[in-house]
Amino acid sequence: MNKIMYLEFERCIGCRACQAACRECGDHDAKERNYVEYVDFTESRQTFPMLCMQCKDPACARVCPANAIQITEEGVVLSAMEEKCIGCRNCTFGCPFGIPKFDFETNKMYKCDMCYDRTRHDIAPMCASVCPSDAIRFIDFDEMQQLRRKRTQMNLVEGKKPQEGNKWDYVPEFFGVYTDSQS
Amino acid sequence: MSQFLVKEGVKNQIRKGEKLVTTHCCYCGMQCGMHIRVDEKTNKVMGVEPRYDWVLTKGKMCPKGVTAYQTIDHPDRIKRPLIKKNGKFVESSWEEALDLIERKYKEIQGTYGKDALAVYGGVSMTNEKCYLVGKYARVGLGTRYIDYNGRYCMSSAAGGFNKTLGIDRGSSLPWTELEHSDCFFMAGSNTAECHPTSIQWFWKAKDKGAKLIVADPRETATARVADVHLDLLPGTDSALANGIMHLLIKHDYVDHEYVQERCNNFEELKEMTAKFTPEYTSKITGVAAEKIIKAAHIFGKSPRSVVMFARGAEQQTAGVDNVSLYTSMALLRGQIGKFASGVATFTGQGNGQGGREHGQKADLLPGYRKLTDPKAVEYISGVWGIQPEEMPQPGVSAYEMFHLMEAKTIRGLHVICSNPVVSSPNINYVQEQLENLDFLVVNDFFLSETAELADVVLPATTWAEDEGTTTNTEGRIIHIRKVVDPIGESKPDWEIMSLIAERLGKGQHFQYNEPREIFDELRLASKGGKADYYGVTYEKIDEQDGVFWPAPSLDHPGTPSMFKERFATEDGKANLAVCDYRGPAEVQSKQYPLWLTTGRVVFHYLSGNQTRRVDFLKEQCPEPFVEMHPELASQYQIENGERVKLSTPRGDMIAPVKITKAIRKDTMFVPYHWGKKLAVNQLTSPALDPISRMPEFKVCAVKLEKLTK
Ligand code: SF4
Ligand code: SF4
Ligand code: SF4
């Protein structure tokens, strides 16, 4: 598997299908693990989705005193292990993206596992599957590269080129999540 | 890994002990493809799985679609007939309920005549059912009074299309072509929230450089990504369209050859639009002249453009004018009947397209035939096995039926697949009329606000407990599969209608064992009509990913693209619209100084009877709200989240405020998915379009009040 979760925030229409769909995944206990927020509703309706970045060196796992957060061989950062999690909630503070959630009833952390049951068989996660706007995509490395080149291509079509001081306007707004093992 | 394959090359998660039933969503006109997960042993519905290979939606769904399966085996389902005794519902047998209905129907019709009984249908059900509602009313009950909730939804689009193009097919092109378009002009549609999965096609085009122009009083999620957002005053679409056409003519963006060959009325249109200069248009619409000019140039220069609209432009007293004028914009540019260009409306209800073709409308017979046409009456009478003299006369539109209830012309009503006491305008009046009926029967699977008023509630099935077809927003006929057997003692609407017809001695006209037989009759009934389904079969639908009507013969593949050579008018030419701006029925006054407009949120569908019962959707949007601009809020000293009172001469409501700059300063927006005290339709205006009889939901003058602490 050499797939990438590709986020394009600008495309998000705030429908929250990704959240509804997250609840539908096999081991998710009907609880969503991602979130969608308004950037600033007073100003505009722009929303953005966020899900686990499946970090290489995950802050959540690093701050976990009980070693309860496991990383699969494919690099997917899992929910806390039932028997190990001591309910300290360090992970919820540690994650820079606010991903780990806490279930106060079972005293246990739960989080996005990139729909492990799906993605390990190369089937798109629920959020990426349903997102009507392709704000969340589950794509091949090559497809990702092509999307990266798109902005340059569009600028050429429109006859624009970066000037000193506005180069950052030409960088696509996106976030990538990598998993890079074989299956 | 064959357990993952639903079909060659398409991988899905299929869990052990489960099967996937391939079908479509029950809600909006996108009719997104989906699989429903069913436990093979218990036959219980387990969840949903994306249908990646459905040609139009590619596995994508909005949150309503994702959670739709939760309505099937829902604890609120009505599982047995309910009869109201001493003001309370009591469960009964079908036998007892049918006995009562038979007695009451005979009593009412015996005393006051056949027409004292009316039928109020809906289009959130299959073609088979929609077709049968018309036949049930006219043959089963023999009444002229039948109309349906599509009157509030699609009738202005229908009126406008018939007038300009001679036929009412929601889209002149298949939407899979949209990615090749260069420009979309979208009026009164917040497609990102109301038809979310359509967005993928606009992005595909936008990614290649296509331009998007959106006309909407709010900067919706759709308008947010537009190249030009025309933030017009509610109710001023006809001025805007005339203004754009003024500029198309002025800057010579008109496709003269096309207009010459294929359109009537160009000179008249030119004359009418002459006064709609950007300044004049700006004054009426409240949109800055520069924006109108920019939009006209973008639209005018685009080689392939699609003009699209929805309820924002249609639910007005000038709804038909607006549709005709917007359609004329596409005609002036010579776009209709060509690749990746044309005109389309967004169908609000799942079968809003199909449901309006098969004779649920007060004046229409199946195949889009006119009830006033003796030949049509003769043909359909033949199909139905009745004498042409027995065919009832045309009736009146949905809202006008309530006037006839007030006048006691209509004394009994059968509501099928609708919740008019939430979805009508001016519902305090509507409620009163329903309460005063002698007898009200409602088919539903949840106890809607309308069902609460009924004497008898008959438990219908959800979409997943019956087979059939619907026609999506493109005009593509698709296959809805049966997922599970009816829950409890519920029955599909077609069976309920057949049982009642039987009791009234009309059983011989309603001998159906399964929906397929009804579809075959529908095919015959539509044969030779405008919406010709004769060449459509369930098998063909499965084989070719749906069939676009018209498909007049069995070897006909269907018609994805319309109007390639001629229009469906008598002379084959399109009629350009020559309509002046008339303005909404209500004007602002000292007492009601602001504008109110209504619409949907992504989490709810129509009157909310289904979606308000689904946990996720309820959590996301539990109650209506009043959206307003911070400048307006500050004038009234209102803070975000504060509850305020809105009133019109017809009613008032209290709801919390959401403050955002993404709306005009003089307009407030309230979604309409709730009933009773939470219903914005207590306030909305029942003024009707003179042609389509569509109420003006989108515009009324309103008073805003801060509540004293
Ligand atoms: S499904 Fe896609 S568009 Fe909808 S809220 Fe999630 S990320 Fe945004
Ligand atoms: S990848 Fe799966 S678990 Fe993670 S947010 Fe998306 S749906 Fe939820
Ligand atoms: S409501 Fe419409 S857009 Fe949403 S899933 Fe159903 S058919 Fe698709």
Side-chain angles (χ1 to χ4, degrees):
Chain A
M1 178 169 79
N2 205 352
K3 293 263 192 186
I4 283 151
M5 285 285 264
Y6 191 80
L7 306 187
E8 268 178 283
F9 298 135
E10 199 211 13
R11 291 171 101 103
C12 180
I13 52 175
C15 71
R16 292 170 173 83
C18 50
Q19 275 176 263
C22 189
R23 290 189 182 189
E24 295 301 318
C25 196
D27 306 320
H28 286 189
D29 290 335
K31 290 194 194 100
E32 73 260 25
R33 282 107 205 281
N34 48 5
Y35 62 84
V36 176
E37 292 288 347
Y38 283 105
V39 174
D40 178 359
F41 184 69
T42 319
E43 289 300 323
S44 116
R45 282 174 219 274
Q46 174 76 65
T47 44
F48 67 96
M50 188 48 84
L51 34 92
C52 177
M53 295 287 116
Q54 314 295 350
C55 310
K56 274 266 136 59
D57 180 11
C60 58
R62 200 184 254 218
V63 298
C64 176
N67 260 335
I69 302 172
Q70 294 232 312
I71 302 158
T72 70
E73 51 183 281
E74 298 89 348
V76 174
V77 185
L78 297 176
S79 289
M81 283 159 42
E82 183 112 44
E83 59 283 12
K84 282 197 178 170
C85 179
I86 55 169
C88 71
R89 286 176 265 148
N90 268 3
C91 51
T92 60
F93 298 109
C95 173
F97 303 102
I99 292 297
K101 296 193 176 187
F102 197 74
D103 182 337
F104 284 91
E105 262 159 41
T106 59
N107 204 34
K108 195 187 148 226
M109 170 278 243
Y110 62 98
K111 67 175 285 296
C112 164
D113 58 2
M114 219 167 143
C115 296
Y116 190 53
D117 278 353
R118 303 176 71 86
T119 45
R120 75 177 145 148
H121 298 298
D122 243 357
I123 303 170
M126 286 302 282
C127 57
S129 299
V130 302
C131 175
S133 200
D134 276 335
I136 311 175
R137 286 190 250 202
F138 185 69
I139 50 176
D140 290 327
F141 185 77
D142 292 345
E143 208 179 332
M144 183 280 281
Q145 289 244 291
Q146 215 159 34
L147 285 170
R148 296 287 296 168
R149 293 179 197 128
K150 197 92 208 180
R151 181 62 65 95
T152 322
Q153 200 179 327
M154 279 317 298
N155 287 332
L156 286 175
V157 171
E158 289 169 13
K160 287 194 272 187
K161 71 176 191 218
Q163 307 288 325
E164 205 46 57
N166 72 350
K167 286 194 188 110
W168 287 105
D169 297 351
Y170 290 81
V171 177
E173 308 88 14
F174 95 112
F175 250 111
V177 181
Y178 296 77
T179 66
D180 53 4
S181 77
Q182 273 72 40
S183 89
Chain B
M1 289 202 279
S2 61
Q3 75 267 33
F4 296 112
L5 292 184
V6 278
K7 79 181 192 200
E8 207 42 50
V10 186
K11 233 168 141 188
N12 271 89
Q13 189 180 19
I14 307 173
R15 290 161 229 233
K16 235 186 154 154
E18 286 187 7
K19 63 174 180 193
L20 299 180
V21 181
T22 304
T23 187
H24 295 266
C25 177
C26 54
Y27 297 122
C28 85
M30 288 304 292
Q31 291 289 282
C32 298
M34 60 169 67
H35 302 291
I36 294 189
R37 294 165 41 204
V38 180
D39 187 295
E40 282 181 309
K41 269 216 189 89
T42 60
N43 256 318
K44 286 231 176 260
V45 171
M46 305 302 289
V48 67
E49 177 68 23
R51 185 175 168 187
Y52 298 114
D53 55 312
W54 176 245
V55 50
L56 181 65
T57 52
K58 314 270 185 206
K60 299 180 180 309
M61 289 176 266
C62 79
K64 297 185 292 293
V66 171
T67 54
Y69 77 90
Q70 293 172 18
T71 59
I72 304 168
D73 205 354
H74 192 284
D76 291 357
R77 278 290 296 272
I78 307 170
K79 294 183 180 155
R80 301 191 68 203
L82 304 173
I83 296 179
K84 201 175 266 163
K85 293 177 182 163
N86 300 320
K88 281 218 173 79
F89 281 122
V90 182
E91 281 197 359
S92 82
S93 66
W94 274 96
E95 207 47 39
E96 189 187 346
L98 290 170
D99 283 348
L100 177 62
I101 291 171
E102 179 185 341
R103 184 163 59 79
K104 282 297 210 174
Y105 277 14
K106 284 182 175 164
E107 214 175 273
I108 290 172
Q109 290 194 316
T111 320
Y112 304 106
K114 293 260 182 208
D115 296 338
L117 216 52
V119 176
Y120 192 109
V123 290
S124 291
M125 54 183 171
T126 58
N127 286 316
E128 288 77 357
K129 290 169 186 162
C130 291
Y131 163 78
L132 212 63
V133 171
K135 182 174 173 189
Y136 166 71
R138 294 181 177 117
V139 179
L141 308 182
T143 178
R144 68 189 292 182
Y145 292 121
I146 164 167
D147 210 53
Y148 74 126
N149 66 10
R151 187 68 74 170
Y152 299 159
C153 186
M154 300 314 300
S155 56
S156 289
F161 283 150
N162 281 327
K163 207 172 126 188
T164 47
L165 310 176
I167 195 168
D168 163 32
R169 206 186 80 176
S171 173
S172 70
L173 74 165
W175 284 20
T176 43
E177 281 181 12
L178 292 179
E179 66 171 298
H180 305 288
S181 308
D182 303 299
C183 175
F184 305 101
F185 189 105
M186 242 180 242
S189 160
N190 177 11
T191 194
E193 274 203 72
C194 305
H195 302 84
T197 55
S198 67
I199 274 288
Q200 57 186 308
W201 296 101
F202 302 116
W203 274 118
K204 278 188 182 120
K206 255 174 99 58
D207 287 346
K208 296 183 212 165
K211 297 279 187 266
L212 178 63
I213 301 161
V214 174
D216 199 306
R218 300 193 298 151
E219 192 197 83
T220 58
T222 319
R224 182 181 65 72
V225 292
D227 296 275
V228 189
H229 171 210
L230 303 166
D231 51 344
L232 80 178
L233 258 171
T236 61
D237 290 82
S238 40
L240 179 65
N242 274 321
I244 299 276
M245 288 197 282
H246 171 97
L247 290 168
L248 293 180
I249 295 169
K250 181 173 166 195
H251 297 284
D252 204 24
Y253 290 126
V254 176
D255 181 339
H256 287 288
E257 204 184 312
Y258 180 99
V259 168
Q260 177 75 29
E261 255 172 45
R262 303 196 58 182
C263 305
N264 296 319
N265 310 337
F266 180 64
E267 285 312 317
E268 291 88 335
L269 178 137
K270 201 168 161 184
E271 207 173 299
M272 175 58 80
T273 55
K275 69 176 179 202
F276 286 91
T277 59
E279 296 67 35
Y280 181 70
T281 309
S282 170
K283 222 166 128 196
I284 298 173
T285 60
V287 182
E290 311 82 73
K291 287 205 227 174
I292 300 170
I293 295 168
K294 187 172 172 197
H297 283 298
I298 292 177
F299 178 71
K301 281 187 186 139
S302 298
R304 283 185 299 259
S305 58
V306 186
V307 176
M308 311 178 95
F309 32 82
R311 303 311 82 73
E314 296 162 15
Q315 288 176 332
Q316 297 180 20
T317 45
V320 172
D321 288 358
N322 295 343
V323 167
S324 314
L325 288 164
Y326 282 131
T327 304
S328 301
M329 276 172 47
L331 288 167
L332 281 193
R333 289 281 306 123
Q335 295 289 328
I336 302 180
K338 294 181 185 164
F339 171 67
S341 46
V343 63
T345 180
F346 291 86
T347 311
Q349 298 190 63
N351 198 23
Q353 176 73 54
R356 68 184 191 262
E357 301 156 359
H358 309 306
Q360 269 195 94
K361 234 175 173 172
D363 57 347
L364 288 184
L365 289 171
Y368 235 110
R369 290 181 160 87
K370 287 216 172 79
L371 197 44
T372 43
D373 169 8
K375 276 212 188 100
V377 170
E378 200 185 312
Y379 179 74
I380 298 296
S381 302
V383 176
W384 285 351
I386 59 170
Q387 294 304 315
E389 308 80 66
E390 293 175 68
M391 185 70 81
Q393 295 297 308
V396 299
S397 78
Y399 189 79
E400 289 166 298
M401 285 215 272
F402 301 117
H403 293 321
L404 294 184
M405 292 175 207
E406 187 180 21
K408 295 282 175 205
T409 310
I410 294 174
R411 291 173 173 262
L413 180 70
H414 191 168
V415 177
I416 301 170
C417 186
S418 195
N419 190 9
V421 81
V422 177
S423 58
S424 301
N426 192 19
I427 55 171
N428 291 331
Y429 171 80
V430 170
Q431 167 127 6
E432 200 181 314
Q433 304 325 317
L434 292 184
E435 279 169 355
N436 288 339
L437 284 169
D438 294 352
F439 193 57
L440 174 63
V441 180
V442 174
N443 293 8
D444 214 322
F445 46 87
F446 291 132
L447 198 68
S448 68
E449 286 78 359
T450 304
E452 282 176 26
L453 305 176
D455 296 286
V456 183
V457 181
L458 298 173
T461 54
T462 65
W463 97 114
E465 295 147 73
D466 192 23
E467 193 182 22
T469 61
T470 60
T471 307
N472 78 357
T473 189
E474 304 165 282
R476 187 197 301 257
I477 302 150
I478 56 171
H479 191 178
I480 305 289
R481 286 197 184 74
K482 182 171 169 173
V483 179
V484 286
D485 282 331
I487 303 273
E489 290 179 24
S490 63
K491 293 180 193 296
D493 293 287
W494 60 265
E495 206 178 316
I496 298 175
M497 289 182 266
S498 304
L499 285 170
I500 296 175
E502 177 93 51
R503 293 298 193 104
L504 300 176
K506 301 287 180 183
Q508 76 270 26
H509 303 287
F510 293 83
Q511 294 298 319
Y512 309 108
N513 299 306
E514 52 170 358
R516 196 180 278 261
E517 295 171 6
I518 305 172
F519 190 69
D520 284 339
E521 189 180 304
L522 180 167
R523 290 174 46 217
L524 199 65
S526 72
K527 191 176 181 200
K530 280 195 165 165
D532 195 331
Y533 279 49
Y534 185 69
V536 187
T537 61
Y538 285 12
E539 288 70 28
K540 198 189 271 185
I541 294 173
D542 292 343
E543 268 160 37
Q544 54 181 62
D545 276 346
V547 182
F548 289 82
W549 69 261
S553 63
L554 281 171
D555 56 8
H556 195 291
T559 315
S561 309
M562 301 284 286
F563 316 120
K564 281 193 165 152
E565 266 108 51
R566 64 192 309 277
F567 291 98
T569 49
E570 252 161 52
D571 61 2
K573 284 185 168 193
N575 300 311
L576 290 167
V578 185
C579 319
D580 205 345
Y581 166 70
R582 286 188 278 123
E586 246 174 39
V587 286
Q588 284 164 308
S589 62
K590 251 212 172 105
Q591 205 182 351
Y592 302 103
L594 296 165
W595 292 111
L596 172 68
T597 191
T598 68
R600 287 189 189 183
V601 296
V602 67
F603 305 109
H604 292 292
Y605 177 66
L606 307 187
S607 75
N609 188 33
Q610 296 168 79
T611 49
R612 279 185 272 130
R613 296 172 203 269
V614 172
D615 290 339
F616 180 81
L617 305 174
K618 197 167 58 191
E619 287 163 27
Q620 291 295 334
C621 189
E623 58 174 354
F625 50 85
V626 185
E627 222 173 70
M628 67 174 76
H629 193 278
E631 190 172 317
L632 176 59
S634 95
Q635 296 309 305
Y636 284 78
Q637 312 271 15
I638 291 165
E639 284 180 46
N640 196 33
E642 186 175 333
R643 303 184 93 77
V644 296
K645 184 172 168 188
L646 294 183
S647 38
T648 68
R650 296 163 290 275
D652 53 60
M653 77 182 292
I654 292 172
V657 165
K658 275 193 183 179
I659 292 180
T660 177
K661 291 181 190 162
I663 188 168
R664 285 183 63 91
K665 293 170 186 169
D666 49 10
T667 305
M668 289 176 284
F669 168 84
V670 182
Y672 77 95
H673 312 284
W674 292 264
K676 300 178 184 168
K677 285 284 132 215
L678 295 179
V680 70
N681 275 333
Q682 299 176 95
L683 281 66
T684 47
S685 159
L688 304 179
D689 180 290
I691 299 167
S692 69
R693 319 305 285 166
M694 165 95 109
E696 190 155 63
F697 290 97
K698 284 293 184 277
V699 204
C700 60
V702 68
K703 176 162 74 179
L704 166 66
E705 282 169 278
K706 188 180 168 73
L707 296 174
T708 42
K709 292 237 166 90

